[in-house]
Amino acid sequence: MSTPPSEPGTLFVPGRPTPGPKELYITDSSGNVQRAVSVAPAGSADTAAASAATRTDPGFFKSLVRALNPLRQQTRAASAMSGLGIAALALDVAATLNLGNPFLFYDRRETWKEMGGRLESGRSDIWFSYFQDVSPNWKGQAADLLGRRVRFNTTVLYEKLHGITGEMSGAMHSQFKEVLEYDLSVFGLYATSAPVLRSLAAMSAHPVGRVALISQAGAFVSALGNLVKQFADIYMAYESDLNKMEQKLNDVRAAFYDQGDPARGRRDLTLTPAVADRANIHDYWQPANKDPR
C-alpha cells in the first residue's frame, strides 16, 4: 500500500509509477504494518549523477602539454633544417593531436563502477523485499504476476545491466592505461630527441653535422610514424569492443522499452485498471494461508 492503513489507500502499481518518492507500508497477511519503506523513482539520471563521488582532475595532462610545447618547437626547427620539415610537421601534428587526458577515462571507469554497485544494491533490495515481504504473505493474480516479473524480468535485466557496467568499467580502465602510455611515449620521444636534434642543428653547417642531423631527423620522423600507427591500432581495437557493448545495450533496451523504442514508452505489467480499485483489492491480493502453530 502507498498510504497508511488509517487512510483511504491506493495501490502502488508496478509499471505505472507516479512522479516523486513513495512511502510504502509493508504488511503481513493479517494487515498489520511491519515497516515503512521510502522508495525513490527508479532510473533517475539526476539521482545517479548526484550520488557519484566528485573527482578532481590532477592536471597531469595540462602539465604534460605545457612541458611538451617547447620540445616540439625545437624538433620542428631542427627537422626544417634537415630538409624533412613538411613530413616531420605532418607527423608532429598527427601524433600530438592524438594526445588525450587519461583522467577522463579514469573518471568514467569510476562512474561505471559506482553504477554497477547501485544496480546490484537495487537488485538485492527488490529480490529480498519480494521474498521476505510479499511471497510469504500474499497470493492471488497480482502477487503471481509480481513474482514472475521479479524472477524472470526485473532480476534478469538488473543482472544484464550489472554485467555491462563491469565490461564498460574494464574498457574505460584499459583506455585510461592506453592513453596514459601513449602520452608518456610521445613525451618521452620528444624529451630524448629534442636535445640531440638541437645540438646537431647547431653543427649542421659542417657536412658531417648535416649528415648526422638528417639521419637523426629521419629516425625521429620514423618514430613519430610508429606512434601514429600505434594510436590507430588501439583506436580500432577499442572501437570494436565498444561496438559489441552497444549491441548488448540495445538488447537490454529491447527488454525495457516497447519494441525497443524509448519513444514508445516502457514495458508495463499490463494490469487491469481494476487492480487499483480499493473495492477489488482482495480479488487480486489474497493473504496466504499460514500453518497453525
Side-chain angles (χ1 to χ4, degrees), residues 1 6 27 45 48 52 65-66 89 106 115 146 157-158 164 177 179 201 251-252 255 266 278 285 289 292:
M1 300 288 289
S6 59
T27 69
V65 172
R66 188 163 48 247
L89 177 61
Y106 167 84
M115 193 182 303
L146 181 60
L157 290 175
Y158 268 88
I164 290 172
K177 174 177 174 292
V179 169
D251 292 342
V252 176
R266 292 177 294 180
R278 187 172 178 79
W285 294 92
N289 293 327

Side-chain angles (χ1 to χ4, degrees), residues 217-273:
F220 173 70
V221 170
S222 177
L224 281 178
N226 288 334
L227 282 175
V228 172
K229 182 180 183 301
Q230 172 189 338
F231 178 86
D233 292 342
I234 293 171
Y235 178 88
M236 293 306 299
Y238 283 104
E239 180 70 15
S240 176
D241 289 344
L242 291 175
N243 182 63
K244 293 177 182 177
M245 277 182 273
E246 183 181 7
Q247 292 175 346
K248 293 182 179 181
L249 284 170
N250 287 338
D251 292 342
V252 176
R253 181 187 300 168
F256 268 117
Y257 296 102
D258 186 18
Q259 299 185 26
D261 183 4
R264 295 178 177 270
R266 292 177 294 180
R267 298 185 186 276
D268 58 34
L269 294 176
T270 62
L271 293 174
T272 171

Side-chain angles (χ1 to χ4, degrees), residues 46 60 130 190:
D46 293 337
F60 161 82
Y130 175 76
Y190 278 88

Side-chain angles (χ1 to χ4, degrees), residues 87-134:
L89 177 61
L91 288 172
D92 167 79
V93 171
T96 53
L97 277 178
N98 291 334
L99 291 171
N101 187 352
F103 172 78
L104 298 178
F105 295 97
Y106 167 84
D107 184 56
R108 292 184 175 96
R109 181 195 72 180
E110 296 303 302
T111 297
W112 281 104
K113 283 167 59 177
E114 292 161 2
M115 193 182 303
R118 291 195 299 271
L119 283 169
E120 179 59 23
S121 175
R123 185 200 68 80
S124 297
D125 288 345
I126 292 174
W127 183 264
F128 285 107
S129 292
Y130 175 76
F131 285 100
Q132 175 182 327
D133 299 315
V134 178

Side-chain angles (χ1 to χ4, degrees), residues 94-228:
T96 53
L97 277 178
N98 291 334
L99 291 171
N101 187 352
F103 172 78
L104 298 178
F105 295 97
Y106 167 84
D107 184 56
R108 292 184 175 96
R109 181 195 72 180
E110 296 303 302
T111 297
W112 281 104
K113 283 167 59 177
E114 292 161 2
M115 193 182 303
R118 291 195 299 271
L119 283 169
E120 179 59 23
S121 175
R123 185 200 68 80
S124 297
D125 288 345
I126 292 174
W127 183 264
F128 285 107
S129 292
Y130 175 76
F131 285 100
Q132 175 182 327
D133 299 315
V134 178
S135 180
N137 299 309
W138 301 98
K139 63 180 182 179
Q141 181 180 344
D144 291 343
L145 184 59
L146 181 60
R148 290 197 299 272
R149 172 56 64 102
V150 169
R151 285 186 176 96
F152 306 118
N153 186 280
T154 304
T155 300
V156 172
L157 290 175
Y158 268 88
E159 289 174 348
K160 286 184 177 180
L161 286 172
H162 185 263
I164 290 172
T165 61
E167 291 187 39
M168 285 298 296
S169 179
M172 292 300 102
H173 173 74
S174 297
Q175 293 192 41
F176 159 72
K177 174 177 174 292
E178 295 289 356
V179 169
L180 179 60
E181 289 181 349
Y182 179 83
D183 288 353
L184 294 176
S185 296
V186 171
F187 183 80
L189 175 62
Y190 278 88
T192 55
S193 299
V196 176
L197 289 172
R198 183 177 66 248
S199 299
L200 292 175
M203 297 184 294
S204 62
H206 193 279
V208 175
R210 180 164 181 78
V211 171
L213 174 62
I214 293 173
S215 176
Q216 185 64 31
F220 173 70
V221 170
S222 177
L224 281 178
N226 288 334
L227 282 175
V228 172

